[in-house]
Amino acid sequence: LAYALILLREQGVPCIFYPDLFGANYQDEGSDGGLYDIEIPAIEQLPLLIKARQRFANGIQTDYFDDVNCIAFVRSGSDDGPGCVVIMSNGSENKKVIALGTGFENKRYCDYLGHRQETIVTDEQGTGAFSVNGGSVSVWVLAEMIDAD
């Protein structure tokens, strides 16, 4: 969840901890003098979040911080590239109804990270209900952007 904030928010500073991207294995001496094997596994979704930053973290940001366990923010897109809808939950499965407005009417969205399999279609006003799994993050982008990968 933290890397979604670091990489996709307007104010985020793209800083990646090396073992989170590549993993690490080493031995370290404990306070008792014994040697211990340390294993830090790579975060599976981190390369995809980095790619999402490069492709979709464009434009003005609008925050939806109306729930202590589920937040969202929208990057509106710009001339430099498309935007995205990021929703995350530290609790149970949840969703947020988000009005994207003019230009986003009847658009199809898919979860770029693949956590959610459904396609969300916005209505005639550009409003959609964007879902997230419990304890997870979803990055919703225009379906045609995923098809172009």
Side-chain angles (χ1 to χ4, degrees):
L1 296 176
Y3 276 118
L5 295 171
I6 292 167
L7 294 172
L8 300 175
R9 286 184 58 77
E10 223 174 350
Q11 304 87 349
V13 177
C15 182
I16 306 296
F17 186 50
Y18 181 93
D20 287 342
L21 188 57
F22 299 107
N25 293 300
Y26 61 93
Q27 284 191 331
D28 197 8
E29 185 176 331
S31 59
D32 63 0
L35 280 179
Y36 295 92
D37 292 324
I38 308 296
E39 181 177 344
I40 302 173
I43 297 173
E44 182 181 337
Q45 294 286 309
L46 189 52
L48 206 49
L49 278 169
I50 292 169
K51 192 172 181 183
R53 176 189 172 76
Q54 295 167 336
R55 292 189 62 202
F56 308 114
N58 301 296
I60 304 278
Q61 178 178 296
T62 304
D63 294 329
Y64 294 82
F65 291 176
D66 55 349
D67 182 319
V68 297
N69 296 109
C70 182
I71 64 169
F73 58 92
V74 176
R75 296 297 300 270
S76 64
S78 68
D79 291 340
D80 295 330
C84 59
V85 176
V86 180
I87 180 170
M88 56 187 67
S89 172
N90 67 358
S92 60
E93 179 178 337
N94 213 322
K95 69 177 153 181
K96 291 213 180 279
V97 175
I98 296 176
L100 299 171
T102 306
F104 296 97
E105 304 92 344
N106 304 306
K107 298 288 187 182
R108 294 174 47 244
Y109 284 82
C110 294
D111 181 3
Y112 188 70
L113 300 179
H115 295 147
R116 302 290 299 197
Q117 300 308 309
E118 72 268 24
T119 299
I120 293 170
V121 181
T122 57
D123 66 15
E124 299 80 27
Q125 287 79 41
T127 299
F130 295 88
S131 304
V132 64
N133 294 335
S136 185
V137 62
S138 288
V139 179
W140 293 95
V141 300
L142 289 168
E144 67 231 31
M145 294 291 131
I146 291 179
D147 298 340
D149 259 353

